[in-house]
Amino acid sequence: MTGRLDSAQPYAIGLFRIVVGLLYACHGASSLFGVLGGSAGGGPEAGAWPFWYAAVIEVVCGGLVLIGLATRPAALIASGAMAYAYFKVHQPEGLWPLENGGESAALFCWAFLLLVFTGSGALGLDRLLSRGTRAQSAEAAQSAEDGQSAEDGQEPVKSAEAIRTAR
C-alpha cells in the first residue's frame, strides 16, 4: 500500500498545488477587483499599503502556483505575504487564529511553505519545461559526442573507425 501511495505522491502534490493556487488567486481577485463575492465597490485604491500590494501578490503568485510555473519562488513570496498578514493584521486582534480571524492566513502560509520544499509536483509547467530543457541538454550532449559543432557550422568529425576504413 505504501508503494502505491508513494507512486501517487507527485499527483497528490500537483492537485494540492492547483487547489491552493486557485483559492489564493480567487482570494486576491476578490480583494482586488471585488469579484467572486468581494466588496461591491471594488478593491483597495491602487498602491494602498498593504492591502493593494497583498491583493496583487495573491493574484500573481496564486496564478503562478496554480499553473505550476516558478512554483517555488512564487510560493515563497506568498508564504511570506501570509506570514506578514497574520502577524501584522490578525495577531494584534488576539493570540489564537480562531480569536483573530487569521486561520486562512496561517493555513495559506504553511501550505505555501510546504510547496517551497516539495515543488510543483505533477501537472505543472515547471516539470514540463524542465523535461524540455533536459531533452535539449541530452540532444546537445549527443551532438557534441558525435562531433557536431553548431557554433561554427563545420561538418561532423568522422569517427575513428570511419577514418580507418577509408584508408
Side-chain angles (χ1 to χ4, degrees):
M1 173 120 169
T2 301
R4 211 184 275 166
L5 290 174
D6 287 345
S7 67
Q9 185 177 14
Y11 299 99
I13 291 170
L15 290 172
F16 176 77
R17 172 189 49 78
I18 290 168
V19 169
V20 169
L22 177 65
L23 291 173
Y24 196 61
C26 287
H27 190 271
S30 172
S31 299
L32 195 59
F33 307 117
V35 297
L36 304 171
S39 60
E45 191 174 313
W49 179 259
F51 301 108
W52 184 81
Y53 292 97
V56 169
I57 288 171
E58 290 168 0
V59 169
V60 172
C61 290
L64 288 172
V65 168
L66 171 66
I67 63 173
L69 183 62
T71 301
R72 290 176 192 245
L76 182 64
I77 292 167
S79 179
M82 289 294 94
Y84 178 88
Y86 182 77
F87 288 111
K88 285 294 196 177
V89 177
H90 297 284
Q91 212 274 325
E93 301 296 321
L95 179 62
W96 299 105
L98 289 173
E99 289 179 296
N100 61 34
E103 299 99 336
S104 63
L107 285 170
F108 275 129
C109 178
W110 287 103
F112 284 120
L113 190 61
L114 178 65
L115 288 173
V116 169
F117 290 96
T118 61
S120 63
L123 313 170
L125 289 180
D126 284 343
R127 188 168 278 207
L128 182 68
L129 294 175
S130 71
R131 280 187 194 149
T133 305
R134 275 188 258 137
Q136 287 175 350
S137 297
E139 189 176 292
Q142 183 63 39
S143 291
E145 191 176 289
D146 291 344
Q148 295 177 349
S149 176
E151 298 91 37
D152 55 16
Q154 294 177 349
E155 290 200 26
V157 177
K158 294 180 181 178
S159 69
E161 183 159 337
I163 295 171
R164 270 195 303 258
T165 56
R167 289 186 190 163

